[in-house]
């Protein structure tokens, strides 16, 4: 049984319960105690019924206690996702492209068959080029976070599922961090149509990230040194490197807008990486824009 009562007095506040006060124990002792210390506990934000000296069973109290909770939970599930937004200013906003490389974006690439459907649907190759072109024309800084593996990386003793797959497919292979032997035109090289923007002497090409996120490379340092606090993010692949970069940059205090159709993801064995990525972009990033929306925002700084 539960003792439930209310008295006038000097007290206020509450313990997070929708009832003014409840206690277990000796009824007579409680009445005597409350006679000398009259208080009222309440939580106005949750409706309750004011009663005095009534005894309720716990079964009677449970529905009253949880009705408001379930009502709020149901409202949260049907509420619209909050509107997103991020201001674009070339003084503190940069374009970051992950893995704009042949192994993902060329029909000869090692992972092409995994991502080709998603690349075609999103027009990924064209959209990444449009972003690079617009950034250069409007004087936004551009950073590339590449993916390169060296022979000793192939000797790692453990790894995740797609990490193993990348090694099995021999993706992003380079002879050495000190050598470009065999690099040009390889799967590790940048797509030819992107090279005029990446190899212009102005783009910051970071050290390679090794799994998916930028925790192991110098992207964050390079951004900080250029006083960048906002990032427009695109590249490959959506649910792996792009999403991992998004999450880490947000955790490091950056605002991030992801260009959802300037990326693509693997579709395999009933798993749709592109759909998964776009859901998380929408739920986590400061903004999730199309390429056209992004271009308009980058150009609007002159208006």
């Amino acid at each position: 049984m539960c003792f439930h009562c209310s008295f006038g007095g000097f007290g206020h506040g509450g313990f997070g319960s929708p009832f003014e006060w409840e206690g277990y124990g000796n009824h007579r002792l409680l009445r005597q105690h409350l006679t000398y210390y009259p208080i009222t506990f309440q939580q106005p934000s949750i409706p309750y019924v004011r009663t005095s000296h009534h005894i309720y069973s716990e079964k009677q109290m449970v529905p009253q206690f949880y009705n408001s909770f379930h009502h709020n939970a149901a409202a949260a599930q049907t509420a619209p996702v909050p509107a997103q937004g991020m201001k674009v200013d070339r003084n503190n906003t940069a374009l970051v492209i992950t893995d704009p490389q042949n192994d993902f974006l060329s029909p000869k690439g090692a992972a092409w068959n995994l991502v080709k459907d998603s690349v075609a649907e999103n027009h990924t190759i064209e959209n990444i080029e449009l972003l690079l072109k617009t950034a250069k024309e409007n004087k936004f800084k551009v950073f590339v976070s590449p993916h390169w593996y060296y022979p000793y990386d192939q000797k790692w003793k453990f790894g995740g599922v797609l990490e193993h797959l990348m090694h099995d497919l021999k993706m992003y292979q380079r002879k050495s961090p000190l050598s470009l032997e065999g690099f040009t035109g390889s799967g590790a090289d940048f797509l030819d149509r992107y090279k005029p923007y990446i190899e212009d002497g102005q783009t910051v090409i970071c050290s390679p990230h090794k799994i998916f996120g930028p925790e192991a490379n110098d992207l964050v340092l390079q951004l900080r040194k250029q006083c960048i606090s906002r990032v427009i993010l695109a590249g490959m692949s959506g649910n792996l490197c792009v999403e991992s970069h998004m999450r880490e940059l947000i955790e490091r205090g950056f605002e991030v807008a992801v260009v959802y159709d300037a990326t693509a993801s693997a579709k395999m064995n009933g798993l749709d990486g592109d759909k998964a990525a776009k859901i998380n972009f929408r739920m986590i990033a400061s903004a999730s824009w199309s390429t056209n929306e992004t271009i308009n925002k980058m150009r609007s700084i002159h208006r």
Side-chain angles (χ1 to χ4, degrees), residues 143 204-207 218-228:
F143 297 75
V204 178
I205 302 173
C206 299
S207 58
D218 65 340
L219 174 63
V220 170
L221 173 67
Q222 296 290 351
L223 291 170
R224 297 290 192 203
K225 289 294 188 179
Q226 296 291 337
C227 295
I228 299 299

Side-chain angles (χ1 to χ4, degrees), residues 263-281:
T263 183
S265 304
K267 295 185 178 184
M268 53 190 294
N269 300 325
L271 302 176
D272 190 337
D274 190 58
K275 182 177 180 180
K278 287 174 179 175
I279 289 172
N280 284 339
F281 297 159

Side-chain angles (χ1 to χ4, degrees), residues 11-65:
H12 66 281
F15 291 118
S17 165
F19 307 103
E20 291 180 273
W21 188 83
E22 61 181 276
Y24 296 88
N26 188 293
H27 181 187
R28 180 178 178 182
L29 179 60
L30 286 170
R31 290 186 63 186
Q32 183 179 7
H33 175 76
L34 291 171
T35 298
Y36 290 98
Y37 301 95
I39 58 176
T40 299
F41 290 105
Q42 63 183 37
Q43 185 171 341
S45 61
I46 304 176
Y48 65 93
V49 178
R50 183 181 293 274
T51 61
S52 180
H53 299 277
H54 284 288
I55 305 297
Y56 293 102
S57 70
E58 292 183 30
K59 288 184 178 179
Q60 288 174 308
M61 295 180 65
V62 166
Q64 188 178 358
F65 183 85

